[in-house]
Amino acid sequence: MVVLHHAWDSLQSFKVRMCLAEIGIPWDGRALSLTDFDHLEPRYLAVNPDGLVPALEVEEGVLTESSTINAYLDEAFNSSRLQPGDAFARARMRWWCHHEDTVVHPAIRPPTFNLYIKPLLAGLSAEALENRLSRHPRPERAAAYRAAVLAPFDGMAVISAIRSLDLTMSRIDQAVAGRDWLVGGAFSLADIAMAAMVERLEMLALSGLWERYPHARAWSCRVAQRPSFMLARAPGEAGKPSPVNPAFVRGLVAEALG
Ligand SMILES: N[C@@H](CCC(=O)N[C@@H](CS)C(=O)NCC(=O)O)C(=O)O
């Protein structure tokens, strides 16, 4: 059985959980808490020396990078049915996966740190924080946690992230005008990659952004209705109190998009 090291509230882990569910691969989970810094414990750094989730352990070894993992799962367990056969469509699919990794994920991080992680880490002393961060192999990642705990709320970073996410939505809107899925005629790894954004925007009280783009909004609803989307979510999430304040977020959206 494959073993997935993941965090329930990690965007990139969501992608892999959804892919596992979509294909129907049984998996054994090792859930880490990123706000308890489990990912910086020596036992996890032995699995992924980058100190990031997700990581997938299979018989042959460990795979990291969510898009690489999803392509592997589809190829090893699903005869590549989640990747278009046509070379051009497959290249478009890879574009969406790359866009999620290089544009969407970096854009999601400032709102996640400012709106969600900051309140969760409030009260952590600078000393306790540095103790944990001293093991972080990525200085820029350590800096994001440091800012979440020690720096004031960064409204400008959140506003510029909202603008970037809005631009991505306009691209989704064009891609799904007149069809169900992002690439070709079938649901693919591209939809799984971008589904993570659907889930995260909900968690950050930013789902209202979809309203500006009717085709993208309809796509986001189709994605959210897939059983694999529900299975990828944290169990018992519904009804859990969120640290995010929706009224405050609405104000930031108004400022970002006018
Ligand atoms: N490109 C990597 C990014 C992995 C990544 O950044 N994961 C985040 C959670 S979504 C993480 O582990 N954050 C912990 C940290 O920054 O210390 C992938 O797609 O797997």
Side-chain angles (χ1 to χ4, degrees):
M1 183 171 315
V2 303
V3 174
L4 180 68
H5 300 261
H6 68 118
W8 285 110
D9 52 6
S10 136
L11 182 81
Q12 304 304 72
S13 300
F14 180 92
K15 269 164 75 176
V16 176
R17 291 194 302 268
M18 184 164 174
C19 190
L20 286 162
E22 190 67 39
I23 300 175
I25 304 170
W27 55 285
D28 206 356
R30 304 277 187 278
L32 286 85
S33 160
L34 300 179
T35 44
D36 289 332
F37 300 94
D38 294 343
H39 58 303
L40 303 179
E41 289 295 331
R43 65 176 171 277
Y44 184 65
L45 293 174
V47 175
N48 181 4
D50 285 330
L52 301 174
V53 290
L56 186 81
E57 261 185 278
V58 294
E59 219 180 302
E60 298 93 327
V62 176
L63 289 172
T64 59
E65 288 299 326
S66 52
S67 293
T68 305
I69 295 173
N70 282 1
Y72 162 80
L73 291 172
D74 189 43
E75 283 153 24
F77 297 91
N78 195 38
S79 312
S80 300
R81 281 191 287 265
L82 289 169
Q83 301 179 71
D86 169 72
F88 181 80
R90 192 175 276 225
R92 289 298 301 159
M93 179 218 80
R94 290 200 184 109
W95 183 90
W96 282 107
C97 296
H98 185 252
H99 184 76
E100 195 279 336
D101 287 327
T102 58
V103 177
V104 175
H105 183 220
I108 287 276
R109 288 173 55 78
T112 301
F113 272 80
N114 278 281
L115 299 168
Y116 177 83
I117 291 184
K118 196 175 183 54
L120 290 181
L121 292 184
L124 188 67
S125 76
E127 194 192 350
L129 177 70
E130 287 311 322
N131 259 334
R132 274 133 185 154
L133 291 181
S134 63
R135 282 197 293 264
H136 211 310
R138 300 280 197 100
E140 80 287 1
R141 297 304 189 101
Y145 281 99
R146 202 169 283 124
V149 177
L150 304 173
F153 177 82
D154 189 349
M156 269 329 290
V158 178
I159 285 169
S160 107
I162 290 170
R163 290 183 181 139
S164 165
L165 294 165
D166 183 72
L167 196 60
T168 288
M169 276 184 191
S170 71
R171 299 237 169 121
I172 298 176
D173 202 57
Q174 282 166 18
V176 296
R179 60 170 188 234
D180 282 354
W181 306 114
L182 287 169
V183 177
F187 181 84
S188 74
L189 293 183
D191 299 287
I192 292 180
M194 300 303 291
M197 172 172 158
V198 176
E199 206 256 349
R200 177 54 56 97
L201 292 187
E202 201 181 307
M203 177 177 132
L204 295 173
L206 281 167
S207 294
L209 292 178
W210 296 108
E211 298 301 327
R212 289 157 55 91
Y213 300 103
H215 305 299
R217 186 179 174 280
W219 168 86
S220 77
C221 294
R222 276 192 292 281
V223 158
Q225 276 158 13
R226 286 187 88 86
S228 58
F229 185 95
M230 328 261 182
L231 286 166
R233 306 183 86 131
E237 203 52 22
K240 226 172 103 187
S242 164
V244 181
N245 175 342
F248 180 63
V249 173
R250 273 197 298 279
L252 291 166
V253 171
E255 216 175 316
L257 304 177

